[in-house]
Amino acid sequence: MSLLAVENLVVRHGLLQAVRGVSFSIERGETLALVGANGAGKTTLLRAIAGAHQPTAGRVLLDGADITGVPSHKRVGMGVALVPEGRKLFVQMTVEENLLLGKTAGRPGDWSVERVLDTFPNLKPRRHAKTGHLSGGEQQATAIGRALMSNPELLLLDEVSLGLSPLVVDRVYASLQGLISSGTTIILVEQDLNRALSVSDKVICMLEGRVALEGPSKGMSRDEVTKAYFGLHRKSAGSVPA
Amino acid sequence: MSNQIVQGILLGGYYALIACGLSFMFSVMRIINLAHGSLAVFSAYALWWLASRFHISPFVGLLIVLPLMAAIGWVLQRFLLERSARGGALLPILTTFGLAIVIDNALFEQFGADTRSLAPYIGSLSYDSWEWPGSIYVGKLAVIMFAAAVVMLGGLQLFLTRTRLGRSIRATSEDPDTAGLVGVDARRASALAAAIAMVTVGLAGAFLGMRATFDPYTGAPQLLFAFEAAVIGGAGSLWGTLLGGIVLALAQTLGAQVHPQGFLIGGHVAFLIVLFIRLSTSGLGLRGLVRLPARKTT
Amino acid sequence: MDGSANVILSAAGIHKRFGALVVLDDIDFAMNADEAIGIVGPNGAGKTTLLSVLSGAFPPSAGTVAFRDGDVTALPATARCRLGLVRTHQVPKPFSGMTTFENVFVAASHGAGLGRDEAYEEALASLKLCGMLGVANRRAETLGLLDRKRLELARALAVRPTLLLLDEIGGGLTDGEASELVDTIKELRRRKIGIVWIEHIVHILLQVAERLICMDAGKIIADGEPQTVMADPEVVRAYLGGGPK
């Protein structure tokens, strides 16, 4: 059985339909990359999976159980953790306090403050610093660590490389590689297509709230994704006025 | 003069007690509770009723009234404030304003217009005093009140920084949406915070009844003192609230020195001066009154 | 780009800084009166900021903007509006409590400075052009997303623009709605109104734009025939990162 299945999900922001009938599933241990232009609905889709947005229609199934109506804090207890876009740290609180908050749901597992600090050694000297004063890379590490503290089965990563220097992005992905090989199921949103294809088993390209392209990352050509990304495979592309 | 200063500082303890709940509710739930003073008076009446009817000492009565106040806070948040907050920032203010009117008039309906006090039920404590060096006489009750304020503010501070529940409340106050995403039940955290705020209000009401008299319409001036102390101290800061209470009380004491009827005026003048300085130096306009970062929106 | 005699809007050496953040970094831009230009680029490229500088919402930190042979760098948005340079917004903001017609009427009488009868006619014509006669007497806050976007367009048209600046007017629409909007904009093209259109949804844009500009990190990185621009490796890299070099 799939760890997560999303069926015909529709999510609205007021008048705007951000996700328009998306279906996909992900097996335990898989890594899925979501790509797509800004406004394609990736962040909204992740937030709906995490329970921060209530969908208008469709279902979210975790391990076969319908969790569509379950609020976000209970989903954390069920093993779904989101590293939100823009990190969303509690900036008035220290690194350690942010990490400890991740433990609120009380899921059993072997993640602890010590283990997070071992995974992200750059956080060690900053343990008691307010997160508002950290560098971008340190903030991102704290945000990922906070999600890991809940011992998730499904980790949702929303643009973890946003605003970081290439060097720091490499470091973040190096530590993610450890998680991927340890069997954590991951859905990640990533702007850099090459990186997205190289870390994932499966890739979904979204366009205007829909799945424009879905397939295994191996053998997916850059050209194919580019066409889906801009919607150039559609009929309309042919009718450009000369 | 040093006598007056000591008395002023001790009175500041009472103002800190009454301001604490107001500032706590504002910083955590972003609600300005205009029923704050009326709820304190309600607590005083509850203690008076237990004492006059069942001969329960007000200090023992707190064991009954404080849990009751906590329950009231929980219910208020869950069934009234949370719902009205969905209608925008103005609606909770109007709701609590209406609540204040309801409480005041219900108390009037039930207990009449007579002035009451808890002083007769606490024995000699209401007038006993210690002599300090320099022939300064300090009321035992005033010292107890000040100590209670320090213990309560310190206890709250420890609770918020050292316990899991405290961290949940702080996380919720900073960003309820993200708090949910890390596993915090934001609704529960807010209801708990309201319960805690009401416990502090209950305690403030007890001291109000012991140190002075009250009637069903005493709530409004208590709200004003709480508001002034909270703003002087910087709403949202616990130790600032204590400082704000002391400044307010000292200003009132000074006002009384200048003119027999200058007690209240002195407090108002201090409040307005601080308000003016905050508004003109922060560059944030009215938002500068509050030591809070803008809540993140998603 | 040639035939500078026909240039209606031009910007030279535009820089825009917000504090330490450089949002526009030396932009040079010129367009002819009857052109339809699309602007694309990843988030944070500076597209909306460029539009704001062109429309006069705020001045550039450096550089000049010229419209119809005159330097308008110092002119505020309202003055540029009366010259015929009009902008729509990413998030439609109709005046609520007014009907659709009243919204457009206000734009015609204040934005274009028309007399009452003339403004009435102009408002009616704009609503008709945008296919909104059927909802003219509905209150604006009850309109759906497509109609709000059209209202935004109708308000801009009522000012009698010679050049329209459109900011993400297609976002959030369904395919059917988007093609209706495209039809309306094509009609504007027939009336010789110049268009600068920022849009994330590239394939909608390509149905109208004759020239495409791609921005990234405050610079123009490609400018030319739409299909050529979209195939430009620099453009693909700006969106999707890395890539074969």
Side-chain angles (χ1 to χ4, degrees), chain A residues 15-17 20 37-38 191-194 207-208 210 222 225-226 229-232 234 236-237 239-242, chain C residues 43 143-145 148 171-175 200-203 206-208 227 230 236-237 239-244:
Chain A
L15 288 170
L16 194 95
Q17 219 177 55
R20 307 172 175 184
N38 267 97
Q191 286 293 356
D192 187 323
L193 182 59
N194 286 1
L207 177 70
E208 296 162 52
R210 293 201 183 82
R222 197 176 156 83
V225 180
T226 308
Y229 187 101
F230 293 120
L232 299 180
R234 298 193 174 196
S236 54
S239 64
V240 177
Chain C
N43 238 27
L143 296 177
L145 192 61
R148 280 180 192 227
L173 300 178
T174 64
D175 291 352
H200 268 307
I201 306 172
V202 177
H203 67 92
L206 294 192
Q207 297 176 45
V208 175
Q227 294 295 336
M230 287 318 292
V236 175
R237 183 148 56 231
Y239 276 97
L240 294 165

Side-chain angles (χ1 to χ4, degrees), chain B residues 43-62:
Chain B
S43 153
Y45 266 105
L47 290 167
W48 174 82
W49 185 72
L50 288 172
S52 63
R53 188 78 181 271
F54 302 104
H55 309 291
I56 297 174
S57 146
F59 290 106
V60 180
L62 281 174

Side-chain angles (χ1 to χ4, degrees), chain B residues 26-45:
Chain B
F26 178 71
S27 64
V28 176
M29 276 127 27
R30 312 285 157 114
I31 284 174
I32 296 174
N33 179 15
L34 295 185
H36 186 79
S38 302
L39 284 158
V41 174
F42 169 83
S43 153
Y45 266 105

Side-chain angles (χ1 to χ4, degrees), chain B residues 144-168:
Chain B
I144 291 175
M145 246 164 27
F146 191 84
V150 171
V151 168
M152 197 172 73
L153 291 166
L156 266 181
Q157 187 82 32
L158 282 177
F159 168 76
L160 286 175
T161 51
R162 296 292 158 82
T163 68
R164 172 177 292 196
L165 274 176
R167 279 194 295 271
S168 297

Side-chain angles (χ1 to χ4, degrees), chain B residues 11-30:
Chain B
L11 178 61
Y14 168 71
Y15 291 146
L17 268 175
I18 188 122
C20 167
L22 189 76
S23 139
F24 187 72
M25 254 180 112
F26 178 71
S27 64
V28 176
M29 276 127 27
R30 312 285 157 114

Side-chain angles (χ1 to χ4, degrees), chain B residues 135-211:
Chain B
S135 68
I136 295 171
Y137 288 89
V138 292
K140 287 187 179 174
L141 184 62
V143 173
I144 291 175
M145 246 164 27
F146 191 84
V150 171
V151 168
M152 197 172 73
L153 291 166
L156 266 181
Q157 187 82 32
L158 282 177
F159 168 76
L160 286 175
T161 51
R162 296 292 158 82
T163 68
R164 172 177 292 196
L165 274 176
R167 279 194 295 271
S168 297
I169 289 175
R170 282 163 66 208
T172 304
S173 87
E174 209 179 299
D175 182 350
D177 179 65
T178 305
L181 286 172
V182 303
V184 172
D185 185 345
R187 290 183 64 206
R188 183 166 162 265
S190 294
L192 188 73
I196 292 170
M198 280 310 120
V199 168
T200 72
V201 172
L203 201 59
F207 284 115
L208 164 71
M210 292 180 201
R211 64 176 283 274

